[in-house]
Amino acid sequence: MASIDLNADLGEGFGRWRLTDDEQLLSVVTSANVACGFHAGDPATMRRVCDLAAERGVRIGAQVSYRDLAGFGRRAMDVPSAELAAEVAYQIGALEVFARAAGSRVSYVKPHGALYNRVVHDEEQAGAVVDGVLLADPALPVLGLPGSRLLELAGKAGLPSVTEAFADRAYTDEGTLVPRDRDGAVVTDPRAVVERSLDLARLGTVGALSGSRIEVRARSLCLHGDTPGAVDLARRVRERLEASGVRVEAFA
């Protein structure tokens, strides 16, 4: 039987501003990528999401980012390796406090936004992220794009590496994500997202933006929480997977 983890980016708000419907999404996903204050999130938000995730048995992951609240972590930045490693460890440590207080723990790490895309090819920045994870906890799994420098270096460092796919993002023929500023980068048709989710879970393939079919072997499937109708779409994806015999379970 095929199995897949469902993850979503949660806690993406601060103060009175909230972007994601954390409570509803936590009734669907099996892993929560919690913003750690650098692209979104604040202490109160982090604590609330950790409490909810722990109550529902959802794994807590640290979604680490460049320090870029104004740009939501989606702007390219050049951060010295030692500084980036320290900032990654700092974010993991901050989230760990609230995860432990909720009776859980940080179970994995996933980069966000510009950092996520950068570490696909950039060995120096990928190495800095790995160094930061090692500093925080040398046993933490790292979640990332198949074939990325991040997962390659994580594996060499002894960190468990977990591959991830996106049903609502377009792919290039090389298996990377189409940049968000290009037409068609985000798949908006709910039916297409559901079918792509099933193909990724059962076949390990997905249609690229060019029309070709590419292989994407992934242990976890990301459901974006900041898109319109995200909760309903997440529920449809999970229901279709389970109805098709796919076991939905956390990887960590």
Side-chain angles (χ1 to χ4, degrees):
M1 178 185 293
S3 66
I4 196 85
D5 169 69
L6 297 181
N7 77 76
D9 302 345
L10 301 178
E12 292 186 326
F14 50 86
R16 298 178 63 184
W17 175 69
R18 293 188 185 183
L19 178 63
T20 50
D21 189 342
D22 300 326
E23 185 167 0
Q24 294 300 315
L25 284 167
L26 283 167
S27 68
V28 180
V29 301
T30 46
S31 297
N33 317 316
V34 184
C36 298
F38 273 38
H39 75 281
D42 59 23
T45 301
M46 293 162 67
R47 182 174 186 180
R48 175 177 53 82
V49 176
C50 284
D51 286 346
L52 288 169
E55 287 173 7
R56 299 176 188 190
V58 175
R59 300 297 187 270
I60 297 170
Q63 185 158 46
V64 298
S65 170
Y66 287 127
R67 188 189 293 269
D68 181 27
L69 274 176
F72 197 60
R74 287 181 175 165
R75 298 185 293 190
M77 304 182 76
D78 290 312
V79 181
S81 295
E83 183 177 336
L84 180 58
E87 291 187 341
V88 166
Y90 177 91
Q91 293 175 78
I92 297 168
L95 187 64
E96 180 72 8
V97 169
F98 300 118
R100 292 283 184 181
S104 185
R105 60 181 296 271
V106 172
S107 296
Y108 64 95
V109 178
K110 173 184 172 178
H112 165 81
L115 182 58
Y116 186 96
N117 293 321
R118 182 77 170 266
V119 297
V120 171
H121 300 296
D122 191 314
E123 182 165 359
E124 182 180 350
Q125 296 281 277
V129 172
V130 169
D131 287 343
V133 176
L134 289 169
L135 183 60
D137 183 344
L140 276 178
V142 177
L143 183 61
L145 204 68
S148 64
R149 297 297 288 160
L150 174 66
L151 293 192
E152 178 185 347
L153 294 178
K156 289 181 178 178
L159 295 169
S161 57
V162 182
T163 53
E164 174 183 43
F166 298 81
D168 61 353
R169 290 293 309 278
Y171 280 84
T172 68
D173 288 344
E174 292 73 38
T176 58
L177 300 179
V178 174
R180 282 182 175 269
D181 59 0
R182 284 184 53 188
D183 290 341
V186 179
V187 181
T188 57
D189 181 355
R191 290 172 297 181
V193 173
V194 171
E195 291 306 314
R196 287 163 65 89
S197 299
L198 190 59
D199 286 347
L200 286 163
R202 296 185 66 182
L203 305 176
T205 63
V206 70
L209 188 60
S210 67
S212 63
R213 197 146 196 92
I214 62 171
E215 182 175 300
V216 180
R217 298 287 178 181
R219 179 66 188 87
S220 186
L221 182 66
C222 182
L223 304 173
H224 281 107
D226 60 349
T227 54
V231 174
D232 179 64
L233 180 57
R235 287 194 179 114
R236 289 176 60 179
V237 167
R238 178 158 186 167
E239 288 170 359
R240 180 63 187 279
L241 289 171
E242 292 178 331
S244 301
V246 176
R247 186 171 62 251
V248 177
E249 61 183 4
F251 65 83

